[in-house]
Amino acid sequence: MVGPFIADDRRGVRIAVVGDGGTGKTTLIDAMASESFPDSVPPVIPPTRFPHNLYPDSVPLTVIDTPSSLANQGTLIEELKRADAVVLTYACDEAVSFERVSTYWLPELRKLEVKAPVIVVGCKLDLRNENQLVSLESLTTPIMQQFTEIVTCIECSAATLYQVPEVFYFAQKAVLHPVDPLFDYKRHALTDLCVRALRRIFVLCDHDMDGALNDEELNEFQVRCFNAPLQPSEIAKVKTIVQQKVPEGVNSIGLTFPGFVFVHNMFLKKGRTETLWSVLRKFGYDNDLKLRDDFLPVPSKQASDQSVELTSEAVEFLNGIFRLFDMDKDRALRPAEVDKLFDTAPKSPWNDAPYKDAAEKTDMGYISLNGFLSQWALMTLLDPTRSLANLIYIGYNGNPAAALHITRRRSIDRKKQTTIRNVFQCYVFGSKHSGKSALLYSLLGSHGFHLYILNLSSILGLRVILFDCLPNFFC
């Protein structure tokens, strides 16, 4: 499962090169630009820009040389704040400069709250004493464990040009294909957000909903993400590898979800972050593993007396989803069933205010169909972007632009003395202890926050949202 890289939509990557004086910062940049070893270099060179076709991601690169002297600390700090990635250099022939990486530079970057990924680079590899050879892994593992902002450690030589291009390739890659959102270093496993995103992708690709990707579905996934089909022998090889490592990852039908996760984790452990990001970005994810804005065409209100509602198409989808996740067919969703519903979302949107305990529930405390639809109506009213995103997370596969619509202005409704709205807002005012909350409790049937939904669909075919307002507070 490999193919062309898909970077995010950045117009360029800015890399700051820092380190002690004499470690080879400027020479490294100059050698990269000229593809030769310079006879001499000034203390600091101007920003160096590399073309977009330098690396496979086709994103232009700007490399910033920084001063090492204390007199220019202001410039250094400013460049660090602007950097997308930091290349931190030490000299391979000077043990003290390597020690300074962990005793001064990395703590200083944290002190300055630099959030950019760090590439630790050993320069002057050609000058290191061959009698003092130490593996790079044994040398850098302790500091990588202590400073998780380090994504890669590499050694190079500007004199021989050995691994000079790789330095800036890894720096750019750390920005375009970041590891942190994907991998939890403490657990040595994929992050929960990454697993949830992969589960949504797996479900979308499992067209027959049998819990496994057959060969046809695997090929469709491969073509969608990498524009190239897999040969039958390649599919068989993938299955064999998965079955050897994760027996439950393959069944008689094809690749199961544990196997799907294993394949992507395997690429990640091999340093192929771009492969996993290619998949995620094809399915609309940004670097925070949330759907990108261009996947969420939310209609805009033109006036304050308009509101956003679900379309009949979206409501029909939600009715079907409710029936699908009502495993025990009791016409209500238990907490475990709601959690399973949002397994393909970054998190359940209903665990926090104002949605928690805000809708109609059964005597057992389970959410009814009316309560379920009311929750979505509330979320669409208050946060239409979040509502649309979660519709897509749980499997809405229609045109996103057809899921929400803007209501007619309330002023026009009043003039015409008619409305096509399905959701109405009602604000309940009154002095303290006048019984506002008690009234709403009696209508809703449960206690909650100062925001409640009353579903009157069985009476009027409408949905009413009641806002419990605090005294002297205009909702």
Side-chain angles (χ1 to χ4, degrees):
M1 294 183 181
V2 295
F5 304 151
I6 301 175
D8 61 17
D9 57 359
R10 288 175 179 266
R11 295 183 178 179
V13 172
R14 190 179 183 91
I15 299 171
V17 184
V18 303
D20 284 344
T23 56
K25 301 190 309 297
T26 306
T27 303
L28 171 65
I29 301 171
D30 197 298
M32 177 65 185
S34 64
E35 298 184 2
S36 62
F37 183 65
D39 295 329
S40 62
V41 292
V44 178
I45 60 176
T48 305
R49 293 176 176 83
F50 296 96
H52 68 87
N53 58 355
L54 182 64
Y55 296 119
D57 285 308
S58 297
V59 176
L61 189 67
T62 301
V63 179
I64 308 298
D65 193 10
T66 60
S68 302
S69 64
L70 294 175
N72 294 301
Q73 283 294 296
T75 302
L76 173 61
I77 293 172
E78 180 183 350
E79 291 298 347
L80 286 171
K81 293 288 187 180
R82 297 179 62 193
D84 297 312
V86 175
V87 168
L88 175 54
T89 63
Y90 68 92
C92 291
D93 62 334
E94 294 179 13
V96 173
S97 72
F98 177 75
E99 293 172 4
R100 290 259 301 166
V101 167
S102 57
T103 60
Y104 173 74
W105 282 105
L106 289 168
E108 185 69 10
L109 292 178
R110 285 189 172 181
K111 180 180 176 182
L112 295 172
E113 297 183 347
V114 175
K115 303 299 183 183
V118 177
I119 314 298
V120 175
V121 179
C123 299
K124 304 183 180 182
L125 181 60
D126 56 296
L127 299 181
R128 185 167 62 191
N129 189 334
E130 293 184 0
N131 296 323
Q132 298 177 345
L133 291 179
V134 180
S135 73
L136 181 62
E137 182 178 358
S138 62
L139 190 67
T140 58
T141 295
I143 64 169
M144 291 189 75
Q145 291 175 343
Q146 183 181 357
F147 299 95
T148 55
E149 56 267 40
I150 302 174
V151 295
T152 304
C153 296
I154 185 173
E155 294 174 329
C156 69
S157 168
T160 64
L161 300 182
Y162 174 71
Q163 293 201 143
V164 169
E166 284 81 352
V167 168
F168 299 102
Y169 167 72
F170 284 123
Q172 187 188 70
K173 181 179 175 180
V175 177
L176 301 179
H177 311 293
V179 177
D180 283 353
L182 308 178
F183 195 76
D184 186 330
Y185 290 96
K186 292 182 180 179
R187 297 189 301 113
H188 292 284
L190 296 179
T191 62
D192 181 59
L193 281 177
C194 184
V195 173
R196 285 172 170 267
L198 288 176
R199 183 178 286 111
R200 169 179 167 256
I201 293 169
F202 180 87
V203 170
L204 289 175
C205 295
D206 183 18
H207 300 303
D208 52 16
M209 300 175 65
D210 59 3
L213 301 184
N214 57 41
D215 290 3
E216 183 179 344
E217 291 167 335
L218 273 174
N219 244 329
E220 186 175 327
F221 164 80
Q222 173 76 9
V223 171
R224 177 171 178 173
C225 295
F226 305 111
N227 301 315
L230 287 169
Q231 297 301 316
S233 60
E234 293 175 309
I235 294 177
K237 184 178 180 180
V238 169
K239 290 180 181 178
T240 299
I241 293 173
V242 171
Q243 199 158 33
Q244 289 173 348
K245 300 294 183 179
V246 187
E248 70 275 17
V250 177
N251 63 20
S252 59
I253 299 171
L255 196 68
T256 64
F257 181 63
F260 189 70
V261 170
F262 171 80
V263 169
H264 290 92
N265 200 10
M266 179 176 65
F267 282 121
L268 195 61
K269 289 182 176 180
K270 289 181 177 180
R272 296 292 304 275
T273 53
E274 67 275 9
T275 301
L276 181 46
W277 275 117
S278 291
V279 172
L280 293 166
R281 289 181 179 131
K282 272 294 184 181
F283 284 86
Y285 288 94
D286 62 15
N287 281 8
D288 295 320
L289 292 181
K290 296 179 180 179
L291 288 177
R292 298 193 307 269
D293 290 343
D294 60 296
F295 266 65
L296 304 172
V298 176
S300 299
K301 295 191 294 183
Q302 302 300 314
S304 59
D305 61 349
Q306 292 180 301
S307 60
V308 185
E309 293 185 6
L310 296 164
T311 62
S312 58
E313 180 180 325
V315 172
E316 182 180 352
F317 164 77
L318 289 172
N319 272 285
I321 280 291
F322 184 91
R323 292 192 297 270
L324 180 65
F325 281 85
D326 181 17
M327 305 293 185
D328 50 12
K329 307 304 177 185
D330 61 353
R331 299 183 180 181
L333 294 185
R334 301 170 182 240
E337 291 170 333
V338 174
D339 288 342
K340 187 172 179 61
L341 167 67
F342 289 111
D343 266 352
T344 51
K347 59 179 290 191
S348 171
W350 296 350
N351 287 338
D352 305 313
Y355 309 108
K356 187 176 182 181
D357 300 324
E360 175 187 337
K361 292 185 179 179
T362 67
D363 293 339
M364 296 292 292
Y366 305 152
I367 189 167
S368 64
L369 175 59
N370 284 336
F372 179 75
L373 295 175
S374 294
Q375 286 278 56
W376 284 98
L378 175 64
M379 186 159 58
T380 304
L381 177 73
L382 299 181
D383 193 345
T385 301
R386 189 179 192 186
S387 178
L388 180 58
N390 278 282
L391 276 171
I392 296 173
Y393 287 138
I394 67 171
Y396 181 76
N397 212 13
N399 180 4
L404 308 180
H405 73 96
I406 302 294
T407 63
R408 191 169 63 188
R409 293 190 61 177
R410 191 180 295 114
S411 57
I412 297 177
D413 283 352
R414 286 170 178 163
K415 286 180 181 179
K416 293 180 176 292
Q417 295 188 340
T418 183
T419 184
I420 56 173
R421 293 183 183 222
N422 295 307
V423 178
F424 293 84
Q425 303 174 61
C426 177
Y427 296 90
V428 182
F429 291 92
S431 60
K432 192 174 183 180
H433 303 306
S434 64
K436 304 187 308 300
S437 298
L439 171 64
L440 297 184
Y441 289 152
S442 68
L443 295 171
L444 185 67
S446 65
H447 295 266
F449 294 92
H450 288 283
L451 182 56
Y452 304 89
I453 305 170
L454 170 64
N455 188 318
L456 300 181
S457 59
S458 60
I459 303 173
L460 302 175
L462 304 174
R463 213 163 293 283
V464 178
I465 296 178
L466 299 174
F467 293 84
D468 182 9
C469 298
L470 296 173
N472 303 318
F473 177 77
F474 188 79
C475 293

